[in-house]
Amino acid sequence: MAFDEAQEDDSTTVKAPAKYKTGSKWKPFKEGVIAYLNLVKGSHNIPLAYIIREQEIPDPVAVYQSEHHRVICIMPLAGIEYEEDISKVFDFLKSWTLNSPAWTWMRAHNATINGRAAWVALVAHFEGDAQRDQVKDHVYAAIAVARYYGERKKFAFETYVTIHQESYADLIQYGEIISEEKRVRDLLQGIKENSPAANAAKGTVLATPNLRNNFNNAVAHLATTLQLSTSLNDSRNISSMGGNQKGCGGGRGNGQGRGGRGRRGRGRGKGRNIYLGSYSPEQWQKMSIEDKKKVYEGRQKSAEQCNNSQQTQGGRSNYTARGGRGVA
């Protein structure tokens, strides 16, 4: 075949799938196996993925996406080369599943070293009725407990959306078709942030057919609204803290400048310099958590120094006004 000469062995470009262990998910493992065997060549330089293809007998009228796909689908599942290749596939599968729950379902083919039979047994188990029902129950439970209470360091809106997307992808794999309207309804139900912006965004989704009946559109609208709300809140927090800097050192920066003297504008934090004045919402969003913390701490320290300075000055004034005696 021309395919034999045109293709080189590029199996090193794809990593072998991670070993299947207790608690591993079948879907990522399956996709990893297929991807790896799509590049690892067997006899006659044909990808070993033909051993684990779904359709045993080729479709004579099928239209194939590529020459690569065609040779995988039409390669005969019989002959000396086939016997050699099924043993190679079995060795791969054994190395990835040994001492795991998956090995239990393919160990019956250990004596014959039949990789195709072992793969068919794995698919029959992990995609059978009992396993399918178990996965569905788990997925629906994951959707039901997913909650979004606003942006958190370890749980952003994107994380919440990903839970829904992966859950519905698992359901589709097992033939469970969920309407777009129900997906949007489930998404909204888990959003527990009670800010005016979040409530308005949810109301808009429910009132707009193009959003209510399209999961991706609803996500885009919610993400934009919630992100804008977060940026505005951050901006207000920055402005309110920035206002506390005025009246001390004559500027918005930290009162601690070089040599301990007050300095306008840019202040100095511990370590590298960091600006303690106002930021735009876009600038604030791009800052790291560590830098934001330095800004907050620097402003708080500057505010405390400002207050102490004002109290000291006030005490001196009282002392002078009362004939040199300080007033407590």
Side-chain angles (χ1 to χ4, degrees):
M1 291 185 183
F3 180 85
D4 300 344
E5 299 175 358
Q7 300 294 321
E8 297 179 357
D9 185 3
D10 52 357
S11 60
T12 57
T13 61
V14 173
K15 292 182 178 180
K19 291 186 177 182
Y20 195 93
K21 301 177 181 179
T22 301
S24 295
K25 289 188 175 182
W26 164 250
K27 180 183 176 183
F29 176 75
K30 177 184 179 182
E31 292 177 349
V33 171
I34 295 173
Y36 188 72
L37 296 184
N38 257 310
L39 289 180
V40 177
K41 307 301 193 301
S43 302
H44 293 303
N45 205 29
I46 300 299
L48 287 174
Y50 85 91
I51 297 294
I52 62 172
R53 71 186 187 217
E54 292 185 14
Q55 197 166 358
E56 184 171 355
I57 301 175
D59 184 351
V61 296
V63 177
Y64 301 105
Q65 301 171 354
S66 63
E67 179 66 9
H68 179 90
H69 186 221
R70 188 185 73 84
V71 297
I72 288 175
C73 292
I74 68 171
M75 188 67 181
L77 299 180
I80 297 176
E81 292 83 2
Y82 170 73
E83 295 297 329
E84 293 177 356
D85 288 345
I86 60 174
S87 64
K88 293 178 182 178
V89 171
F90 184 87
D91 288 339
F92 278 130
L93 293 175
K94 183 176 181 179
S95 68
W96 298 329
T97 62
L98 193 62
N99 299 322
S100 77
W103 172 246
T104 303
W105 303 99
M106 57 171 282
R107 67 186 304 172
H109 305 285
N110 191 42
T112 59
I113 319 179
N114 190 327
R116 178 168 179 80
W119 180 255
V120 170
L122 289 175
V123 172
H125 169 68
F126 287 106
E127 298 181 15
D129 292 340
Q131 189 70 14
R132 181 169 60 246
D133 291 342
Q134 183 178 347
V135 170
K136 286 181 181 180
D137 292 342
H138 175 76
V139 168
Y140 280 123
I143 295 173
V145 300
R147 296 287 186 274
Y148 175 74
Y149 292 97
E151 292 297 293
R152 300 290 188 270
K153 182 177 180 181
K154 295 184 178 180
F155 195 90
F157 182 69
E158 183 179 358
T159 308
Y160 173 69
V161 172
T162 299
I163 293 175
H164 282 258
Q165 289 176 323
E166 292 183 346
S167 296
Y168 288 117
D170 288 339
L171 290 173
I172 291 173
Q173 180 190 10
Y174 290 102
E176 190 86 351
I177 305 301
I178 308 299
S179 69
E180 290 285 305
E181 185 177 6
K182 184 180 187 319
R183 292 184 63 181
V184 172
R185 195 164 58 246
D186 290 343
L187 181 74
L188 295 178
Q189 188 172 0
I191 298 177
K192 300 302 180 182
E193 182 182 356
N194 201 30
S195 66
N199 290 332
K202 290 191 287 184
T204 300
V205 171
L206 290 173
T208 309
N210 187 42
L211 300 178
R212 186 178 65 248
N213 299 318
N214 188 301
F215 181 82
N216 291 334
N217 289 350
V219 168
H221 174 76
L222 291 167
T224 301
T225 305
L226 296 174
Q227 184 178 9
L228 178 60
S229 175
T230 300
S231 297
L232 291 175
N233 287 335
D234 282 347
S235 180
R236 293 190 187 102
N237 292 334
I238 296 167
S239 298
S240 64
M241 293 197 69
N244 292 332
Q245 313 308 315
K246 295 180 179 179
C248 185
R252 297 175 299 166
N254 191 345
Q256 290 283 333
R258 291 176 181 166
R261 294 177 298 169
R263 185 184 177 100
R264 291 176 182 267
R266 297 181 181 272
R268 292 179 179 270
K270 294 181 179 179
R272 67 181 180 83
N273 295 349
I274 190 158
Y275 181 50
L276 302 182
S278 297
Y279 292 86
S280 68
E282 293 76 14
Q283 291 172 327
W284 186 253
Q285 284 294 105
K286 293 178 181 179
M287 290 178 66
S288 66
I289 298 297
E290 181 182 356
D291 282 349
K292 288 181 180 179
K293 183 179 179 182
K294 287 181 179 179
V295 172
Y296 281 128
E297 291 176 346
R299 288 174 174 169
Q300 184 177 5
K301 183 177 180 180
S302 181
E304 291 173 354
Q305 291 172 346
C306 181
N307 290 335
N308 292 336
S309 176
Q310 290 174 348
Q311 290 174 3
T312 301
Q313 292 174 0
R316 290 174 180 171
S317 298
N318 289 333
Y319 180 88
T320 302
R322 303 231 176 199
R325 292 183 299 173
V327 179

